Amino acid sequence: MKNFLMIAALLIPAVTFAQKPLPKTYDLLVGAYTNGKSKGITVFRFYAETGRLAYLSQIDDVSNPSYLTVSADSKFVYAVNENDKGEVSSFSFDPKMGALKFINKQLTLGGAPCYVSVDKANKSLFVANYSGGNIAVLPLNEDGSIAPSVQTIGDSGPFGPNKDRQEKAHVHTAVLSPDEKYVFYTDLGTDKLHITRYKPGKDSPLSGVKPPFVSVTPGGGPRHLDFSLDKKHLYLVQEMGSAVTMFDYNSGKLTPKQTVTLLKDGYTGATGAADIHVSPNGLFLYASNRGDANDISVFSINQETGELTFVDRRAINGKTPRNFVIDPTGNFLLVANQNSDVVYVYKLDKNTGKMLGIVYKVEVGNPVCLKFAPAQ
């Protein structure tokens, strides 16, 4: 009896803290440029057991929704409208039917918005304006509608050495820290990753910290970023330098530790690194490269130090892998090939991190952003 009780006691924590089973189906939202075949945002049903995609719906007359974000409760979707007159649009979202309904839009106070993120409480929207060179903070109402911007932040230089690409500030991202106490934004024009303190509900939600930024190699052009699963490291992909820099992270402070290239030895073609993601199990990091490379590099992540070791480099069977996403189960990687009008679904080996064969594909005009939401 005593031994039975001891065994039962050991089993209780495993039962109590067992992870909730992942859904078997998701909605995949595809943002696109609308100067080609696409007219707006397309929604597919994604079957996580097989990697299959099935068309659900499309909302037209959404101009250049090149980046999307989904609210934590999946009730709302926000999309930038990447035009000279920068705007951001809100939609209600029915995850059962995969249907979007337009709510409203607001100016982003900067041209060519290319990234949007939202906090978990659905209180604030953060938009990165690429040609405007700033980020805008826009409050959100309970019905999901967007209020006018209350704050913009940008950098006046000095700018990087590439006179063609770094003639002014070019902001690419506005990313919340895992605890949502900070917002990070990358500036390709100044080769800086900026750090700001976030306090929701304030007239100016973002405030400065010390140090206010970290710099990368001149001409590197910082673009997108992701955090390690344990939240102790940040990984930054540099567009023009086609490299990934790993930082140790602690309460808004970044310490650079390692930089690895995305290019194979002797490569001389055009490049343009784009997207970066850590696998759901935290063991691997993936980064895409455009230009003539058109590939995705895979690195293993040292679970003690966060450092990266090259694993594989996979051609993506298309042109311009601007954005990609790993499904929540970690079994598939989906790539938006902007200039091939197709989204490919690759099978992943979760033990080695390698991308295996294509299991499915769907045609979408100029796809540039992929986002998952649990289906209902």
Side-chain angles (χ1 to χ4, degrees):
M1 184 64 176
K2 183 177 180 181
N3 289 337
F4 173 80
L5 291 174
M6 290 178 64
I7 293 172
L10 289 173
L11 290 175
I12 287 174
V15 174
T16 303
F17 298 104
Q19 289 186 342
K20 183 180 179 180
L22 290 171
K24 294 182 179 180
T25 57
Y26 295 86
D27 291 327
L28 177 73
L29 294 97
V30 183
Y33 284 123
T34 52
N35 53 358
K37 298 178 182 179
S38 181
K39 296 181 180 180
I41 303 170
T42 310
V43 185
F44 295 89
R45 182 61 43 83
F46 176 76
Y47 297 90
E49 293 181 317
T50 63
R52 186 171 69 89
L53 290 165
Y55 174 84
L56 288 181
S57 68
Q58 179 173 306
I59 184 166
D60 292 341
D61 300 321
V62 184
S63 180
N64 288 329
S66 64
Y67 204 86
L68 317 171
T69 193
V70 183
S71 64
D73 59 10
S74 298
K75 291 182 178 180
F76 305 106
V77 171
Y78 302 97
V80 300
N81 303 113
E82 190 177 337
N83 301 307
D84 292 338
K85 178 186 176 182
E87 295 175 308
V88 59
S89 299
S90 64
F91 304 85
S92 62
F93 182 59
D94 178 357
K96 185 176 182 179
M97 302 301 295
L100 292 160
K101 184 178 181 180
F102 176 75
I103 300 175
N104 80 327
K105 67 170 61 176
Q106 292 287 355
L107 295 172
T108 63
L109 304 185
C114 62
Y115 194 96
V116 59
S117 57
V118 62
D119 62 3
K120 294 174 183 176
N122 221 53
K123 296 295 185 183
S124 299
L125 205 63
F126 307 92
V127 179
N129 293 302
Y130 180 77
S131 63
N134 60 15
I135 64 170
V137 186
L138 300 96
L140 295 171
N141 301 313
E142 289 187 5
D143 64 357
S145 62
I146 310 169
S149 174
V150 294
Q151 185 179 17
T152 59
I153 295 178
D155 194 327
S156 58
F159 305 116
N162 188 320
K163 302 304 180 183
D164 293 330
R165 296 291 312 278
Q166 296 180 306
E167 81 289 2
K168 62 178 183 177
H170 289 296
V171 176
H172 255 302
T173 53
V175 180
L176 287 147
S177 62
D179 61 8
E180 299 202 336
K181 292 181 179 179
Y182 301 90
V183 171
F184 298 85
Y185 69 95
T186 56
D187 189 336
L188 177 143
T190 63
D191 290 317
K192 294 175 184 176
L193 170 56
H194 292 265
I195 310 157
T196 61
R197 190 80 162 86
Y198 172 50
K199 293 183 179 180
K202 301 288 186 180
D203 291 338
S204 296
L206 300 182
S207 57
V209 299
K210 294 182 179 181
F213 63 85
V214 291
S215 295
V216 300
T217 301
R223 185 178 170 97
H224 282 201
L225 59 91
D226 200 3
F227 286 87
S228 62
L229 193 62
D230 62 10
K231 306 171 187 176
K232 295 180 180 179
H233 311 285
L234 182 149
Y235 301 95
L236 171 69
V237 68
Q238 299 172 51
E239 177 176 338
M240 296 186 297
S242 290
V244 173
T245 297
M246 185 275 285
F247 299 85
D248 286 344
Y249 174 71
N250 183 22
S251 299
K253 296 186 183 300
L254 294 169
T255 305
K257 289 292 184 179
Q258 180 194 29
T259 296
V260 295
T261 184
L262 300 180
L263 304 175
K264 59 185 178 183
D265 290 344
Y267 182 85
T268 58
T271 66
D275 203 8
I276 185 168
H277 293 287
V278 173
S279 61
N281 62 13
L283 298 179
F284 302 99
L285 180 135
Y286 300 79
S288 64
N289 205 357
R290 299 167 295 174
D292 297 322
N294 291 315
D295 59 26
I296 291 180
S297 295
V298 187
F299 300 87
S300 63
I301 299 175
N302 185 301
Q303 297 301 292
E304 295 296 325
T305 66
E307 292 187 349
L308 303 173
T309 300
F310 177 77
V311 171
D312 196 20
R313 186 177 292 106
R314 174 66 187 255
I316 47 78
N317 302 88
K319 295 180 180 179
T320 317
R322 183 185 179 96
N323 181 231
F324 67 92
V325 67
I326 303 169
D327 86 287
T329 72
N331 289 315
F332 300 96
L333 186 149
L334 292 74
V335 184
N337 291 287
Q338 177 184 341
N339 292 334
S340 296
D341 298 330
V342 66
V343 174
Y344 284 118
V345 182
Y346 288 87
K347 176 67 175 172
L348 287 182
D349 186 326
K350 291 198 289 188
N351 295 316
T352 66
K354 292 184 177 182
M355 297 169 60
L356 306 177
I358 296 171
V359 299
Y360 207 80
K361 72 173 184 178
V362 291
E363 293 184 0
V364 183
N366 299 115
V368 290
C369 183
L370 306 176
K371 290 290 180 179
F372 276 118
Q376 294 180 3

